[in-house]
Amino acid sequence: MGGINVELEQTVTFFNKTGKYIGEITAIYPDHYVVRTLAVLKHPMQGDLHNPKQVDVDFFHERKALAFREQTNIPLKMVKPYEGEVPEYKFTLKEAVDKMIQELSTSDDDFSQKSLDCLKNIQQEYGWMYNIQW
């Protein structure tokens, strides 16, 4: 199968676009797993994935984290076993956004400023969805 040895309902970490998550395997296929999102370890970067850290692109994407319990197809090589307690989604989402904002705030470049603007909009949406206070 080419990936790690996993079982249904096993807890794993996985990458999706530029975000990193904790989730559980809900289906196993020859070329990918279906993973249910349980926590956010790293919030996705903003902007165009094909032109990282560029603002002069056709469309600067506002990227949200995968939603709580959202299922997604993940290539085998992007999944690793996870050991330990799974933290609460809402807490990890807030922590991941706060960390990204802190990192972006250390730079005064156009990419960081545009990303911070996107994250402000996303924070408002997360506040409504998950009752997070910023």
Side-chain angles (χ1 to χ4, degrees):
M1 212 194 268
I4 58 170
N5 188 22
V6 298
E7 301 173 355
L8 286 176
E9 299 181 7
Q10 181 174 346
T11 306
V12 295
T13 61
F14 66 98
F15 289 94
N16 185 52
K17 299 195 167 75
T18 59
K20 184 175 181 183
Y21 304 88
I22 299 171
E24 81 177 333
I25 303 288
T26 60
I28 300 172
Y29 294 95
D31 61 344
H32 70 278
Y33 302 115
V34 179
V35 184
R36 177 181 295 128
T37 306
L38 301 176
V40 181
L41 295 174
K42 181 182 180 292
H43 195 277
M45 293 294 296
Q46 304 304 294
D48 185 345
L49 294 179
H50 302 290
N51 297 290
K53 300 204 176 208
Q54 302 295 312
V55 293
D56 192 17
V57 294
D58 290 337
F59 184 70
F60 193 89
H61 296 266
E62 184 178 276
R63 299 195 182 285
K64 296 178 193 76
L66 294 173
F68 180 57
R69 298 185 59 79
E70 179 177 351
Q71 296 194 65
T72 189
N73 296 320
I74 303 295
L76 302 178
K77 65 183 179 185
M78 303 301 256
V79 174
K80 302 283 184 249
Y82 177 78
E83 298 293 327
E85 290 288 314
V86 177
E88 181 184 351
Y89 178 88
K90 182 168 94 169
F91 172 76
T92 62
L93 177 63
K94 183 178 187 322
E95 194 173 73
V97 171
D98 287 346
K99 182 176 182 185
M100 180 162 281
I101 287 172
Q102 187 176 39
E103 289 170 0
L104 289 167
S105 296
T106 63
S107 296
D108 195 25
D109 59 88
D110 290 342
F111 172 79
S112 296
Q113 294 310 308
K114 190 147 184 145
S115 294
L116 287 167
D117 290 343
C118 286
L119 286 169
K120 284 179 187 168
N121 292 336
I122 291 170
Q123 276 181 306
Q124 190 173 32
E125 202 168 320
Y126 289 157
W128 296 326
M129 289 173 64
Y130 301 107
N131 197 26
I132 297 174
Q133 301 296 316
W134 299 96

